[in-house]
Amino acid sequence: VGSGGGAASASIDSKVCMALRHKIYPHYGVQFHPESVGTGKAGYHLLQNFCKYVAEKKEKNGEMYEHMPSQLCTQKKNHINESTTATAIEGKGSSEGEKVVSKHTVHIHKLSPEISMENPLPEMVFESVYASSETSFWLDSSTGSLSYNGGKPDPLTDSTCPIHSNSRFSIMGDGNGPLSKRLEYYGDNHPLENRGLRIYTSRPGGNSYEVESITDDDIITHLRKSLGDRGICTSTRMVEFDSDGDDHGYTFSDAKEFSSVDTMTHADVGVPSLPFEYRGGYVGYLGYEVRHDTRRFMCEQEVCKSNAAGMSGASHPTTSQEKIPTAAFLFADRSLVYDHFTSDWYLVGVSSNDMNAASSGGVVSTIEWMKQMMSKLQSVRGTMSPEKTIDGHKSAQSEVSFKLDKSKSQYEADIRRCHDEIRNGESYELCLTNQLRSTVTTGSETEPFGLYKLLRQANPSPFAAFLNFGGPPPMVTQPSSCNQPASVPVPGSVSICCSSPERFLSVTKLNSASSISDGADDGITTGWEFPPPPPPLRGIDDGSRRYGVESKPIKGTTARAIIPNRGITPEVQAEDAKAAEELRVDVKNRAENLMIVDLLRNDLSRVCEVGSVHVPRLMNVESFSTVHQLVSTIRGVVNSNEATAVDVIAACFPGGSMTGAPKLRSVDILDEMEKGVSRGPYSGCLGYISLNGCMDMNIIIRTAVVTPADANGDDKDNNNERNDGQKDPTSWNVSIGCGGAITALSESEDEYDEMLLKARAVKEAVELWVNGSNY
């Protein structure tokens, strides 16, 4: 340690000096992380020893301290959003005694299978009802493959639900409702003149749109405002239609929200219940570059520079795809929820409480939509057939030529740069990414939904999704009262075909009816609308609502020996189990996972109640279609007086599994290495923010981002131009993001191979699509 007065507490033969103590002054340094979940009880002992040593020094020298070392700071921290959350509570208003009335009422009708006929499956319904819509979504629990088979166990419990280990609910809808609006946000990864928020609102009749441009709000601020104050709906009405032949007869009843200890039965005594959290609201994605906006929110709470350029000299991305918004959401006022266990369909209609909307977005029009949708669903009954599967032995006729943004040599050079930064103490872990890109031509006018159908079969995942934000809507105009420039922004055009296995964040009511677990974590990723068991109530009655928050980061991946849709022999099973076990005990992968768990614990602590953040499961192996993954579970409790679902996003975005640790400095380093190339939707999150304050978001990985080949102006080498000068509508730009976490133990060759492994399933689905698979 030199002659500066220090003494090494570790043995001179140790490879790493783990602790230092000054010979004279009470200065101690420990190369350890007492705050880490991996440290366990030893972390408490370290802190206790520190307090003991300081107390002994004080007693010996008679020194006076302003604060006793044994005191813990329990002062309430200021959360990100204090101005809008308190008024989102039922019974509380902006002034004393004033009750807030929500802007919306949610109506739900349940359509159960008939004795003689099953309900149609989600893929059939989406293709029949929504696939042709300009803007549509499907949050697809594509691993929830078991459906109604004529028998319904009663009561519904863990032991009787056959798909508890899969995914139970799927959600779908489009932008054709009277209250629907499309939000597109162009952030710091777009040219200055194009930045801002654009809101496309359907005009009466549905054949034209109005657009409003807002330059002052980013997407996080806008969502917070929209869901604050009157934006949260605290009650739901069930709709039952008369069975006596009267087309106009219906009744309302309040939906019962079960607590976790209630027993759910299919033959409930006439009291309607809902096993899911979704109540309509915003469905869409946040691209990775929203990090510039969430960084500003984080820096309101921590000492840091508000943009990357201020810290590291890195610049914001300058080469992004022009027509791909930084973030895009659809306000879904009319949508469907499918229960894979019971085969029930739920029609979810949002009506406005504004009297001026009675003719178009009121209760009457919502009921009329329900009747029409019931007819559509019933019309496809009887035409059901088993969902098709891809022949595992069939390969694409020819490979699609993909080009990597970073060559193998550049990727390996970036890995060396990561090692340098880690050795210099700038980061512990860096999530290095790459993109495969190609311009493809399909054999017929096959829309991207055709690709998604193939992907969901080839790589079924608990957080799969298809988002379609189509091209320019007809007759886009600006509001006549809007004093804005004469030019009208043209909407973006992008489809996201996602087979993500990873939950980023979920926010669920603590008295969630959908939690059918007994409270134990079984370590299985369950998927959309299958929330975790609620944490125990803290016994505090301050008029607020409490929500359970969950994140399930994935770090650590290895290929499976089992190939989907092919035969499984005992030898293959043994090889597959061996691969899973090797992943579980691998030091490098466990280190990757642990660092991201600690990062997310820190992120959630910004908005969760003190002491509520915990890790019920650490580094559990979960097996998906093509890979084994190392998955951890982090949970906490959010008080609605202090934070909303949007605040949880602001505190945690982008997901730590896509950045590295520590997050802000790691993002700066990655920004330098990515050299101004936007990641786009990849590495961001996708899902819904419900009108009841709940939320479910995935991490956008294992995903193809598809745009028309002329949408970005970057296909100069594409020769698919027709005689009229227009581009062939069957030509598409496809990008597939992939990457991996780099630590001090990473090997360049292994990391490069893992990066390609993660893209393999999506790449093969694209090849099947291009080669005209008749799936």
Side-chain angles (χ1 to χ4, degrees), residues 615-650:
V615 182
R617 187 163 291 266
L618 185 64
M619 291 179 269
N620 184 60
V621 175
E622 296 187 12
S623 300
F624 299 92
S625 301
T626 58
V627 295
H628 298 296
Q629 310 249 222
L630 210 55
V631 187
S632 294
T633 303
I634 306 100
R635 292 183 183 151
V637 178
V638 167
N639 186 320
S640 65
N641 272 336
E642 299 160 12
T644 66
V646 179
D647 295 322
V648 175
I649 293 177

Side-chain angles (χ1 to χ4, degrees), residues 45-63:
H45 291 318
L46 282 170
L47 295 176
Q48 289 168 355
N49 288 340
F50 173 77
C51 292
K52 183 182 73 170
Y53 292 148
V54 173
E56 289 175 352
K57 181 69 175 179
K58 173 199 170 206
E59 182 179 353
K60 179 179 179 181
N61 295 345
E63 298 174 4

